[in-house]
Amino acid sequence: MAVDTQTVEKLAELARIAISAETIDEVSNRLGDVLQLVDQLQAVHTEGVAPMAHPLDEVQVLRADEVTEPNRREEFLALAPQSEAGLYLVPKVID
Amino acid sequence: MHQLTIAEIIRGLRDKQFSSAEITRHLLDRIQQLDGHYNSFITVTEEQALEQAAAADRRLAAGEAPALCGVPIAHKDLFCTRGVRTSCGSKMLDNFAPPYDATVVEKLNAAGSVTLGKTNMDEFAMGSSNETSYYGPVKNPWNVDCVPGGSSGGSAAAVAAQLVPGATATDTGGSIRQPAALTNTTGLKPTYGRVSRWGMIAFASSLDQGGPIARNAEDCAYLLSAMAGHDGKDSTSLNRPAEDYTRSLNDSIADLKIGVPKEYFGEGLNADVAARVETALKAFEALGAKLVEISLPHTDLAVPAYYVIAPAEASANLSRFDGVRYGYRCADPKDLRDLYMRSRGEGFGEEVQRRILVGTYALSAGYYDAYYNKAQQVRRLIKQDFVQAFEKVDVIMGPTSPNPAFAIGAKKADPVAMYLEDIYTIAANLAGLPAMSLPCGLVNNLPVGLQIIGNYLCEARMLNIAHQYQQVTDWHTASAFSIETAGGAGE
């Protein structure tokens, strides 16, 4: 199954990954190979089969609504490429 | 000293034959001298290791040593280690030193182990050859022109090169078992949920599972006993009592019924690999086990289902790498969109980008039912194959990987060919079953792995079965250095 470059551009936009013009044909071809592989699933009869999420069908457990983690804001902010006055810095979003 | 197993190190430390400081120093020196050949470590934590070793020696002297007190190990570089770079094999996290320890790291620290460093891996654990690492490929100690398998190739190669007796690893589609098979080590992927995923950088959350790689089943049992257990911080963690996985190593396996799936011995399996696996099955017969031919009819669908589910979950998990809160940020972003696009375009490697795009496709409007939902249905069919098989047999055995280690570069340009190397390992992840690989022979001086797939929560029994095999065979003691000494690596 071939994937056209327009589709790849749309996926790249959705995934927020910049793909260079030089590599886009190669990316399209390889994606096509992978989609061809997974398209084998389409032939399988799965009517009435419940999709499987957890192998042992465990469900999310709830915990008491209590504070367990200390505030470590400074440590976390120290990992950011840019921060200032307790905030993450990004390029200007609003004019 | 580097040839000792974990069980031997525990005994040696308690009998005061050597100290933790001595063996730690010895292995650190060995890493420094030899790892240039293998590239199995991304970070070596020498100072911290020596401090941990000194603390372990004090506890040993005081007679208050926990289970793994003073035993040197290494962690795959996707387990968060407080203050120590945790790169996940990616440029994206080259500068990331987490503010906390993963539960697995915390537990192994509490058990007294000494961390020598962080091992190399495929980027974000996506790969079967360790060639996608930002830090360069890992070389197989059995033949440095070959891959060690992946994605836990660094952990497997470090154990095979006798740089460390055991290491943590993770397995999403075979990433513990396949590198164990290709490097003559023993590796165990536990039942999904046995080992906490908290602080283990996520690839595909419904498949990822941590486990040990070591020289033999007994050592894996020691490591798993420290690693496993319920963790309230991981919502998918199984709430089952802690176990001593060494407790039944010496039980008899005389009444064992082994299922041999005919689909695992068909087209695509290297004939020499098949022969080694069949010889191993005969050894089990000699131990009193019975072989039963079984069928797992949906085997061929495991790889396609996996390459929908794993990329879909990866595309969601990896959306957190945004160039804002931590990790790589591109230079001079002109606006927020540009910051996201270029940080992710420059920070992620080719295979990671490919999987994010496949996952984005599978989850995008109009395709969700046809891909993700369909794959989750097929996943249940695969699980049901196993459920039916385990009504008749105790464990399932077959090859871990269809081929021995392949040459570095051989499959790099063809992702689908690479994906098919995991054809026998992926189904256990989809079904959430425990599975392991152990050495069962050599083909042209390259190791072959026997895979054991067990029923849910049967890790102790599987380790017992593997241990009994290792009592009557010596493939697991074969060393890369007794055959070929790459760079004089023997001593």
Side-chain angles (χ1 to χ4, degrees):
Chain A
M1 183 178 146
V3 182
D4 57 42
T5 51
Q6 221 182 330
T7 305
V8 175
E9 281 164 5
K10 187 185 154 213
L11 293 173
E13 180 65 33
L14 286 170
R16 296 289 186 274
I17 292 176
I19 291 177
S20 69
E22 303 89 75
T23 59
I24 197 149
D25 285 339
E26 175 68 11
V27 173
S28 308
N29 289 336
R30 294 287 86 84
L31 274 188
D33 293 347
V34 178
L35 292 176
Q36 190 178 10
L37 170 80
V38 305
D39 268 341
Q40 290 175 47
L41 297 177
Q42 303 312 327
V44 189
H45 183 72
T46 54
E47 212 184 290
V49 179
M52 178 179 142
H54 191 292
L56 295 170
D57 296 318
E58 302 263 317
V59 292
Q60 181 92 35
V61 285
L62 299 176
R63 62 171 174 80
D65 186 15
E66 285 161 3
V67 177
T68 54
E69 297 295 315
N71 184 0
R72 294 167 62 193
R73 180 171 169 167
E74 294 309 315
E75 271 176 275
F76 295 143
L77 275 172
L79 296 168
Q82 270 190 293
S83 67
E84 197 179 290
L87 302 167
Y88 293 110
L89 280 194
V90 295
K92 196 171 170 185
V93 181
I94 306 163
D95 284 321
Chain B
M1 209 184 275
H2 49 269
Q3 291 161 342
L4 297 175
T5 65
I6 289 174
E8 288 165 348
I9 292 170
I10 292 172
R11 278 196 295 275
L13 288 169
R14 283 172 205 229
D15 297 347
K16 302 195 168 44
Q17 289 168 28
F18 49 83
S19 68
S20 178
E22 282 166 343
I23 189 164
T24 299
R25 180 77 264 164
H26 175 74
L27 293 176
L28 288 168
D29 289 347
R30 208 171 142 80
I31 292 167
Q32 166 139 42
Q33 284 158 19
L34 299 176
D35 201 39
H37 299 296
Y38 312 119
N39 196 27
S40 67
F41 279 82
I42 291 174
T43 304
V44 178
T45 49
E46 172 162 341
E47 203 178 313
Q48 200 180 318
L50 292 170
E51 279 170 24
Q52 283 182 319
D57 283 331
R58 287 193 294 274
R59 294 175 83 175
L60 283 157
E64 51 190 36
L68 296 176
C69 195
V71 175
I73 59 163
H75 291 298
K76 185 176 181 178
D77 205 20
L78 52 53
F79 286 100
C80 284
T81 41
R82 186 170 188 150
V84 173
R85 175 172 64 177
T86 300
S87 73
C88 225
S90 181
K91 180 180 178 183
M92 183 61 87
L93 291 176
D94 182 48
N95 62 0
F96 177 60
Y100 66 98
D101 281 326
T103 296
V104 162
V105 172
E106 212 170 71
K107 280 170 140 338
L108 283 164
N109 283 344
S113 66
V114 173
T115 305
L116 301 186
K118 307 293 294 287
T119 57
N120 204 344
M121 55 183 283
D122 277 300
E123 185 180 6
F124 284 98
M126 298 176 189
S128 309
S129 68
N130 229 294
E131 292 167 289
T132 72
S133 170
Y134 174 62
Y135 302 91
V138 176
K139 318 284 177 61
N140 191 324
W142 288 81
N143 179 339
V144 290
D145 295 326
C146 290
V147 304
S151 66
S152 312
S155 291
V159 173
Q162 300 174 349
L163 305 179
V164 68
T168 57
T170 59
D171 190 315
T172 305
S175 283
I176 289 176
R177 291 161 284 158
Q178 186 251 12
L182 271 43
T183 58
N184 210 54
T185 53
T186 301
L188 170 67
K189 179 202 94 71
T191 305
Y192 179 78
R194 266 291 198 205
V195 170
S196 170
R197 293 185 300 107
W198 199 77
M200 189 177 110
I201 296 173
F203 160 16
S205 302
S206 77
L207 304 166
D208 295 345
Q209 184 58 203
I213 292 179
R215 293 220 175 91
N216 60 35
E218 182 182 23
D219 285 4
C220 283
Y222 275 107
L223 289 173
L224 185 64
S225 299
M227 292 169 78
H230 180 245
D231 180 11
K233 293 179 192 155
D234 171 2
S235 63
T236 58
S237 169
L238 291 175
N239 197 351
R240 301 290 191 283
E243 287 185 28
D244 173 6
Y245 294 95
T246 64
R247 69 182 187 278
S248 54
L249 289 172
N250 296 315
D251 288 1
S252 161
I253 61 166
D255 56 345
L256 187 72
K257 281 205 232 54
I258 300 171
V260 183
K262 60 180 185 203
E263 291 83 0
Y264 284 34
F265 290 85
E267 202 189 330
L269 176 62
N270 174 305
D272 292 324
V273 170
R276 300 300 175 277
V277 171
E278 278 155 15
T279 303
L281 293 173
K282 288 201 183 79
F284 280 102
E285 277 188 307
L287 286 166
K290 281 181 191 62
L291 303 183
V292 181
E293 191 187 272
I294 58 164
S295 175
L296 300 169
H298 296 95
T299 295
D300 282 349
L301 296 172
V303 173
Y306 178 85
Y307 278 98
V308 172
I309 294 166
E313 295 183 8
S315 74
N317 274 325
L318 272 61
S319 64
R320 72 187 53 152
F321 301 103
D322 57 5
V324 174
R325 293 163 300 162
Y326 47 83
Y328 178 79
R329 174 183 283 200
C330 65
D332 305 318
K334 66 177 179 350
D335 54 28
L336 190 58
R337 181 183 168 279
D338 185 46
L339 184 155
Y340 292 147
M341 298 287 287
R342 282 201 291 125
S343 296
R344 291 164 61 81
E346 294 165 17
F348 291 137
E350 203 181 300
E351 179 65 21
V352 172
Q353 293 190 4
R354 178 156 45 237
R355 296 207 195 181
I356 292 174
L357 294 174
V358 170
T360 304
Y361 183 88
L363 293 176
S364 59
Y367 292 114
Y368 182 89
D369 281 339
Y371 286 97
Y372 192 72
N373 210 44
K374 186 85 176 176
Q376 292 284 63
Q377 289 176 309
V378 169
R379 188 173 181 182
R380 189 172 296 278
L381 297 176
I382 288 166
K383 175 187 161 170
Q384 283 167 355
D385 283 354
F386 285 107
V387 169
Q388 281 161 17
F390 284 124
E391 285 167 8
K392 288 179 286 196
V393 300
D394 302 310
V395 289
I396 293 168
M397 290 192 194
T400 303
S401 183
N403 297 296
F406 46 92
I408 291 173
K411 294 179 198 279
K412 218 183 164 193
D414 185 353
V416 171
M418 185 79 85
Y419 298 171
L420 291 171
E421 286 299 308
D422 295 331
I423 190 158
Y424 306 127
T425 49
I426 278 175
N429 298 82
L430 291 170
L433 291 164
M436 63 187 297
S437 180
L438 54 155
C440 73
L442 299 173
V443 170
N444 298 326
N445 290 342
L446 288 171
V448 174
L450 172 76
Q451 183 175 214
I452 304 178
I453 303 174
N455 208 343
Y456 296 106
L457 307 169
C458 286
E459 292 86 353
R461 179 67 167 151
M462 293 162 66
L463 288 161
N464 156 234
I465 292 163
H467 181 68
Q468 290 305 307
Y469 174 76
Q470 291 180 336
Q471 298 304 295
V472 296
T473 58
D474 54 9
W475 294 113
H476 61 290
T477 64
S479 148
F481 308 128
S482 54
I483 289 162
E484 182 234 5
T485 51
E491 289 305 320

